[in-house]
């Protein structure tokens, strides 16, 4: 029998810190008039794998802290909360957990019908029922933030994600537990077709045999699915707790602002309680074929590694590198480009045109000797 409540794992606690920061920033932005291009902003927040709202040792689950942080937000006075502007939908399939969650929310916040925002707690299946519930709640005409936080079996249909991506200013956050990648063999192929939008999209990932690369490949495959679904920007990263198993998160958004807000949240909690975020592109400091290069610099940090990978594809201005860091890497921001280029120039890794001051338009390329080393001819 599955337990009603379970212990809060360090990776989940780390993810919760990130969600809290993200939501704290997201609500006032989304409810600000005109920000999203909607004259009278309305939003729907969906936690489709809600859980019982509480962990074994009393910590709050995601539905409880999401409601609490909205209702006690420091900007609550400016957000004009109302039941027709804000809907929070929580879906839990397990009936005992759903019942527990409903009772807990009522005991913490009072009767749902008296709350200043609409809170729906449904006993249903996230994969099958989310779309219909969003229709019933008239959610498709305004931004939706959907969190798909299942354990092992992400069964969220691609068509649902695509429909959400089609609503301006909407976003999704999908998490994968480490078991998802190792237990992949036991997952039903028809279900994978539904999640990735067709067999041809996930089969190449399934052919990856190297155990260390499997999770990277599957994560990348999911990231591509979000891109195909219509999210202009996607971030994928590993949430590394101070102890225990990591978990993996893929975020899709239509706006650069969304990426910035997520990265701000990451920087705000990075290091908290020993947690960190890792870019799946990096393999502990040294990309293939570049051992000699990295052996020579003192700090083989992730940022240098990523920029080197990018510059192997061709030269770019400092400004372009900033945009690439923001939109293509898991946690680096625009502002990191200039400092990184300065350090790489000082270490003799890159050359700049023109020489001298590093401006936005300065062209950066790998030092010719470094480029030659990667090319075995
Ligand atoms: C990882 S837990 C959620 C944790 C919660 N979001 C939090 O952060 O506190 C996943 C939950 O999803 C529920 N669940 C599993 N499959 C589901 C489905 N198809 N639809 C809805 N809920 C489901 C499980 O019963 C479990 O309570």
């Amino acid at each position: 029998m599955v337990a009603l409540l379970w212990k809060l794992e360090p990776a989940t606690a780390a993810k919760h810190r990130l969600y809290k920061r993200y939501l704290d920033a997201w609500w006032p932005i989304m409810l600000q008039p005109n920000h999203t291009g909607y004259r009278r902003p309305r939003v729907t927040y969906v936690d489709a794998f809600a859980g019982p709202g509480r962990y074994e040792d009393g910590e709050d689950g995601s539905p409880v802290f999401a409601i609490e942080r909205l209702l006690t937000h420091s900007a609550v006075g400016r957000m004009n909360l109302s039941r027709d502007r804000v809907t929070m939908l929580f879906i839990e399939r397990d009936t005992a957990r759903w019942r527990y969650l409903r009772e807990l929310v009522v005991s913490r916040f009072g009767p749902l019908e008296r709350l200043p925002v609409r809170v729906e707690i449904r006993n249903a299946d996230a994969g099958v029922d989310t779309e219909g519930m969003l229709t019933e709640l008239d959610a498709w005409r305004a931004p939706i933030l959907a969190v798909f936080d299942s354990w092992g079996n992400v069964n969220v249909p691609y068509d649902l994600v695509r429909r959400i991506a089609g609503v301006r200013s909407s976003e999704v956050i999908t998490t994968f537990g480490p078991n998802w990648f190792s237990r992949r063999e036991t997952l039903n192929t028809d279900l994978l077709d539904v999640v990735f939008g067709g067999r041809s999209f996930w089969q190449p990932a399934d052919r990856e045999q190297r155990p260390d690369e499997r999770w990277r490949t599957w994560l990348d495959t999911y990231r591509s699915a979000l891109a195909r679904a219509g999210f202009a920007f996607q971030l994928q990263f590993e949430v590394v707790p101070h102890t225990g198993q990591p978990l993996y998160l893929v975020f899709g958004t239509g706006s650069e602002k969304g990426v910035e807000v997520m990265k701000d949240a990451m920087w705000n909690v990075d290091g908290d309680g020993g947690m960190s975020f890792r870019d799946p592109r990096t393999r502990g400091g040294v990309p293939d074929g570049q051992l000699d290069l990295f052996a020579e610099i003192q700090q083989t940090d992730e940022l240098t590694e990523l920029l080197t990978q990018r510059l192997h594809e061709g030269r770019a201005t400092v400004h372009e590198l900033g945009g690439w860091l923001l939109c293509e890497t898991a946690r680096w921001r625009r502002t990191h480009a200039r400092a990184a280029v300065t350090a790489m120039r000082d270490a003799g890794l890159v050359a700049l045109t023109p020489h001298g001051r590093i401006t936005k338009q300065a062209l950066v390329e790998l030092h010719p000797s470094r480029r030659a080393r990667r090319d075995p001819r």
Side-chain angles (χ1 to χ4, degrees), residues 90-372:
F90 300 100
I91 304 170
E92 171 55 52
R93 189 177 61 182
D94 181 272
T95 305
R97 289 185 186 144
W98 163 75
R99 195 166 286 129
Y100 190 96
L101 174 63
R102 221 182 31 173
E103 284 165 15
L104 179 63
V105 169
V106 172
S107 76
R108 283 280 285 268
F109 305 104
L112 300 189
E113 59 284 4
R114 290 210 214 123
L115 290 178
V117 297
R118 181 168 183 182
V119 173
E120 294 286 332
I121 303 175
R122 302 285 179 94
N123 183 203
D125 184 292
V128 177
D129 303 315
T130 304
E131 185 169 3
M133 282 190 268
L134 289 173
T135 302
E136 179 210 320
L137 295 169
D138 192 23
W140 295 108
R141 290 185 295 123
I144 296 168
L145 170 58
V147 179
F148 296 119
D149 188 17
S150 75
W151 268 314
N153 53 336
V154 175
N155 63 354
V156 181
Y158 172 77
D159 287 345
L160 169 64
V161 173
R162 198 178 50 181
R163 190 158 177 204
I164 294 174
V167 179
R168 194 172 52 196
S169 298
S170 293
E171 299 181 338
V172 299
I173 299 176
T174 306
T175 59
F176 295 81
N179 292 345
W180 197 87
F181 306 101
S182 52
R183 279 212 331 254
R184 228 289 306 135
E185 289 70 20
T186 61
L187 292 181
N188 162 339
T189 50
D190 293 337
L191 184 61
L192 289 171
D193 292 349
V194 170
V195 171
F196 288 91
R199 197 150 298 187
S200 60
F201 296 115
W202 62 263
Q203 262 180 339
D206 202 34
R207 287 196 277 270
E208 175 58 68
Q209 292 305 320
R210 291 167 295 173
D212 276 2
E213 294 299 313
R214 277 185 77 75
W215 67 269
R216 283 198 177 86
T217 312
W218 277 104
L219 213 56
D220 218 32
T221 303
Y222 196 71
R223 183 184 185 219
S224 305
L226 291 192
R228 255 183 298 118
F231 287 108
F233 304 93
Q234 326 86 37
L235 294 178
Q236 80 216 81
F237 51 90
E238 189 180 358
V239 179
V240 187
H242 68 286
T243 161
Q245 298 267 53
L247 62 80
Y248 305 89
L249 201 147
V250 189
F251 167 65
T253 177
S255 75
E256 207 174 290
K257 177 77 182 168
V259 178
E260 278 170 6
V261 174
M262 178 56 84
K263 289 202 171 176
D264 287 347
M266 291 167 85
W267 279 91
N268 277 322
V269 296
D270 191 53
D272 229 11
M275 68 173 287
S276 62
F277 300 102
R278 207 154 70 102
D279 196 309
R281 273 189 200 76
T282 56
R283 289 168 176 75
V286 188
D288 292 347
Q290 291 174 43
L291 272 164
D292 53 346
L293 189 158
F294 281 92
E296 288 172 35
I297 50 170
Q298 294 202 322
Q299 233 192 339
T300 59
D301 66 356
E302 186 184 275
L303 181 55
T304 308
E305 182 183 339
L306 288 166
L307 282 174
T308 305
Q309 286 181 19
R310 165 62 187 83
L311 290 168
H312 266 296
E313 285 162 23
R315 58 194 191 164
T317 63
V318 173
H319 183 70
E320 286 164 346
L321 290 178
W324 183 82
L325 284 178
L326 176 70
C327 299
E328 294 296 327
T329 71
R331 64 195 188 112
W332 301 99
R333 299 192 277 198
R334 263 187 197 286
T335 46
H336 290 114
R338 186 188 291 252
V341 167
T342 308
M344 289 172 79
R345 179 200 59 190
D346 295 348
L349 296 175
V350 295
L352 272 104
T353 316
H355 297 292
R357 248 185 81 224
I358 299 183
T359 62
K360 276 186 176 179
Q361 294 316 320
L363 206 50
V364 186
E365 58 190 324
L366 283 179
H367 198 279
S369 60
R370 312 286 166 181
R371 267 180 284 144

